Amino acid sequence: MNTLVSESQPGSAIVVDCLEYSKPSRERFLEWKTGRVGCVHVTLAVWETARETLSVIGQWNDLFAENSDLVALARTADEIRAIAASGRTAVVFGFQNTAPLEDDIRLVQVFHDLGVRIVQLTYNTQNSIAAGCWEDDDSGLSTHVGRQFVRELNSVGMLIDLSHCSERSCLDTIEVSSAPVAVTHANPLEFVGTDVELGRRPKSSQVLHALAERGGVVGLSPYVRMLKNGIHTTEQEFVDMISWSVETFGVEHVALGTDFYTGYGIEAVKWWRMGRWGRESPFPIDENAPVVEWPAWFKSPEAFPSLVTAMEKSGFGATELDLVLGGNWIRLFGEVFDRQEP
């Protein structure tokens, strides 16, 4: 186990969690260290404006200075490797919506210069770029605005994320993008079924096969509202989903993106669900229920070593483990982050 996930040995696996949105603090960073997580893609913004997002980046810069023994910002795949090799966790900045870009294509380069490397096109709803997964009328990727933003993201070296996009938006973007794209945190619809609580968030096999054919990666999540058995899903059942996905889409295209979050109250959930655009959420919010529940076996990123052990017991060999735990993300990050188009 230690040789598999130790950051100190060249060539050993770097565990990458390709989506977390916890309220950042030293406590969270210590959980990453205990869980031997070498890289985390963190969310800076969902509905925030450009100005609001700049303040979030400023807060993260303070955190990096105050916790330089635990975390550091990474802009390239090589920086991720170097930070992980130092025993710290590499942080990759991302957006879960294009709201911070404010339909200003020039802000793509601006935020890239500030370290943002992953951008989700839309968060559940329709915007000028694409349709989200909550929309009844799936218009897909915008012919004019969306395609230009995809080209811009490709050109500066930002990874496009389709996790909360509609079916057609996913398929359109995979076709239009000149670089591989990602689903950083979603589960396969064919495996989890249509009865999960967030029914439109899981991705169809058509989308995931298309993603894989173009070199993309899907990050599987233990978020209970995307699991077949919800809060009752066992660690072994989650490993079974990983195995099924590897067999169905290929081991080079399956990884992890937990969608883990903690440290927020109900007001944050309301913000994520309806931003400023609504007085009520399309999906009801129970204010008396816990903000989020996680399976008993995954209460924080400290659970990663146990998950690795369960995967080993299920027959994952060293090469497969290296790829699924982080190698696939590192490969994709290198292909996209280091990419420069004229």
Side-chain angles (χ1 to χ4, degrees):
M1 167 77 83
N2 290 336
T3 58
L4 175 66
V5 295
S6 170
E7 295 88 352
S8 63
Q9 296 188 15
S12 62
I14 298 174
V15 175
V16 178
D17 188 347
C18 208
L19 199 285
E20 291 191 25
Y21 197 6
S22 292
K23 189 172 184 178
S25 67
R26 187 170 181 85
E27 181 181 0
R28 301 283 82 78
F29 306 153
L30 287 168
E31 288 173 349
W32 294 347
K33 186 174 184 65
T34 300
R36 304 171 190 168
V37 183
C39 176
V40 177
H41 162 219
V42 303
T43 297
L44 299 180
V46 176
W47 305 109
E48 284 79 359
T49 64
R51 178 63 187 83
E52 290 167 337
T53 305
L54 290 175
S55 289
V56 176
I57 292 175
Q59 292 162 11
W60 266 103
N61 287 341
D62 287 346
L63 287 165
F64 291 138
E66 295 161 2
N67 300 276
S68 59
D69 58 322
L70 294 176
V71 292
L73 178 64
R75 297 175 175 84
T76 67
D78 282 344
E79 287 183 356
I80 292 171
R81 294 186 185 97
I83 293 165
S86 74
R88 299 174 295 166
T89 301
V91 172
V92 175
F93 281 164
F95 298 161
Q96 281 206 62
N97 200 351
T98 46
L101 302 178
E102 298 184 3
D103 289 337
D104 185 343
I105 201 165
R106 290 160 186 82
L107 289 185
V108 173
Q109 182 68 61
V110 170
F111 278 112
H112 181 274
D113 292 344
L114 294 172
V116 178
R117 288 297 180 272
I118 301 177
V119 174
Q120 188 169 265
L121 296 186
T122 181
Y123 189 78
N124 297 330
T125 60
Q126 177 80 50
N127 60 25
S128 60
I129 290 175
C133 60
W134 283 1
E135 299 297 340
D136 294 327
D137 297 322
D138 187 354
S139 60
L141 182 70
S142 166
T143 302
H144 303 294
V145 181
R147 289 168 189 256
Q148 291 203 53
F149 269 86
V150 166
R151 288 197 296 270
E152 190 77 9
L153 293 164
N154 288 161
S155 69
V156 304
M158 283 188 181
L159 177 63
I160 294 171
D161 183 5
L162 303 174
S163 297
H164 287 251
C165 292
S166 69
E167 175 89 355
R168 184 176 167 191
S169 293
C170 290
L171 293 171
D172 288 349
T173 304
I174 292 167
E175 180 181 0
V176 168
S177 178
S178 61
V181 300
V183 170
T184 63
H185 57 297
N187 294 334
L189 181 63
E190 187 177 342
F191 184 90
V192 301
T194 58
D195 294 331
V196 295
E197 188 172 342
L198 294 183
R200 294 181 180 178
R201 279 280 285 108
K203 298 302 179 188
S204 73
S205 289
Q206 183 181 4
V207 165
L208 296 179
H209 277 300
L211 182 88
E213 288 169 4
R214 298 293 295 274
V217 176
V218 57
L220 305 181
S221 168
Y223 184 46
V224 297
R225 296 186 179 99
M226 287 195 293
L227 295 175
K228 182 187 297 186
N229 296 315
I231 191 67
H232 304 294
T233 300
T234 66
E235 185 176 55
Q236 184 57 54
E237 287 171 335
F238 185 76
V239 171
D240 291 344
M241 181 172 68
I242 298 174
S243 299
W244 182 91
S245 300
V246 164
E247 293 172 3
T248 305
F249 308 112
V251 70
E252 298 87 357
H253 307 288
V254 177
L256 301 172
T258 64
D259 205 8
F260 182 79
Y261 66 92
T262 190
Y264 295 106
I266 194 66
E267 291 306 315
V269 176
K270 291 180 178 179
W271 173 249
W272 300 331
R273 291 285 184 92
M274 52 194 172
R276 298 183 177 93
W277 52 262
R279 296 186 184 276
E280 60 184 25
S281 168
F283 288 85
I285 299 173
D286 183 353
E287 299 200 25
N288 297 315
V291 171
V292 67
E293 292 182 284
W294 293 91
W297 52 271
F298 196 92
K299 293 298 186 182
S300 82
E302 294 178 334
F304 271 105
S306 174
L307 177 61
V308 173
T309 299
M311 292 174 67
E312 290 176 321
K313 290 179 178 178
S314 289
F316 281 84
T319 299
E320 292 177 314
L321 281 168
D322 283 0
L323 292 173
V324 173
L325 292 176
N328 289 330
W329 286 129
I330 299 295
R331 183 266 303 168
L332 183 60
F333 293 165
E335 290 180 10
V336 176
F337 297 172
D338 300 337
R339 174 187 177 92
Q340 291 294 328
E341 293 186 351

